[in-house]
Amino acid sequence: MVNTVTRTTITDGPRNLIVKVHLNSDGTEETGLELITGADYDPSFVESSLMQLDYNMTGNFSAKLMWQGTPNLDIVALSPDTAICKDWQDIGGLINQAMSRTGDILLETTGIGTGDECTLVLHIAKRDRPAGF
């Protein structure tokens, strides 16, 4: 079997992207599940900032989000059995600083079991150039 992953794009504008992702597990660990693929949106993007993350995890597993790159770069750890909103808008978001970045955001799980679930709503600011320019 394979985990069931549902992605719903809520907003895909020229500067902002909001995507809801729901994962229902069959017990298979995720090691690099692409939650966001920058090339799939209009306009596509490589440069971005994670402005806000709402998530709800049910089950005794942990997870982390990563920017895809060489190597992948951790963004944030997600705690078991938690529903929370993390907001970084006041600091300009968590900027993608991975080397050889693609714009993609990945999910990795640890200790996931059959029937465990995770719902994430990612608020992303698309950038037209790297931070600091």
Side-chain angles (χ1 to χ4, degrees), residues 11 23 26 43 59 77 79 106 111 118:
T11 300
L23 178 134
D26 69 350
S79 302
L106 310 175
C118 179

Side-chain angles (χ1 to χ4, degrees), residues 28-84:
T28 304
E29 295 288 0
E30 293 291 351
T31 58
L33 174 65
E34 284 190 13
L35 299 180
I36 303 292
T37 304
D40 288 349
Y41 299 96
D42 185 23
S44 63
F45 62 93
V46 171
E47 305 298 333
S48 62
S49 299
L50 180 60
M51 304 302 282
Q52 187 175 335
L53 171 66
D54 297 296
Y55 74 93
N56 183 4
M57 293 177 46
T58 55
N60 193 25
F61 71 102
S62 58
K64 68 178 175 179
L65 298 182
M66 302 173 290
W67 298 114
Q68 187 176 44
T70 308
N72 295 335
L73 182 66
D74 291 354
I75 303 172
V76 64
L78 310 177
S79 302
D81 271 331
T82 303
I84 195 167

Side-chain angles (χ1 to χ4, degrees), residues 2-128:
V2 71
N3 294 331
T4 302
V5 180
T6 306
R7 290 173 192 80
T8 305
T9 301
I10 297 168
T11 300
D12 183 13
R15 302 288 297 161
N16 295 294
L17 174 68
I18 302 173
V19 176
K20 179 180 178 181
V21 180
H22 181 79
L23 178 134
N24 190 334
S25 181
D26 69 350
T28 304
E29 295 288 0
E30 293 291 351
T31 58
L33 174 65
E34 284 190 13
L35 299 180
I36 303 292
T37 304
D40 288 349
Y41 299 96
D42 185 23
S44 63
F45 62 93
V46 171
E47 305 298 333
S48 62
S49 299
L50 180 60
M51 304 302 282
Q52 187 175 335
L53 171 66
D54 297 296
Y55 74 93
N56 183 4
M57 293 177 46
T58 55
N60 193 25
F61 71 102
S62 58
K64 68 178 175 179
L65 298 182
M66 302 173 290
W67 298 114
Q68 187 176 44
T70 308
N72 295 335
L73 182 66
D74 291 354
I75 303 172
V76 64
L78 310 177
S79 302
D81 271 331
T82 303
I84 195 167
C85 176
K86 294 184 176 267
D87 191 333
W88 301 281
Q89 294 179 76
D90 60 339
I91 61 168
L94 301 179
I95 298 170
N96 184 352
Q97 295 183 344
M99 300 298 291
S100 302
R101 56 190 158 268
T102 63
D104 300 352
I105 296 179
L106 310 175
L107 175 75
E108 182 175 291
T109 61
T110 304
I112 200 164
T114 302
D116 289 348
E117 293 185 80
C118 179
T119 301
L120 305 109
V121 180
L122 299 104
H123 299 247
I124 297 165
K126 300 176 185 179
R127 305 170 64 91
D128 57 2

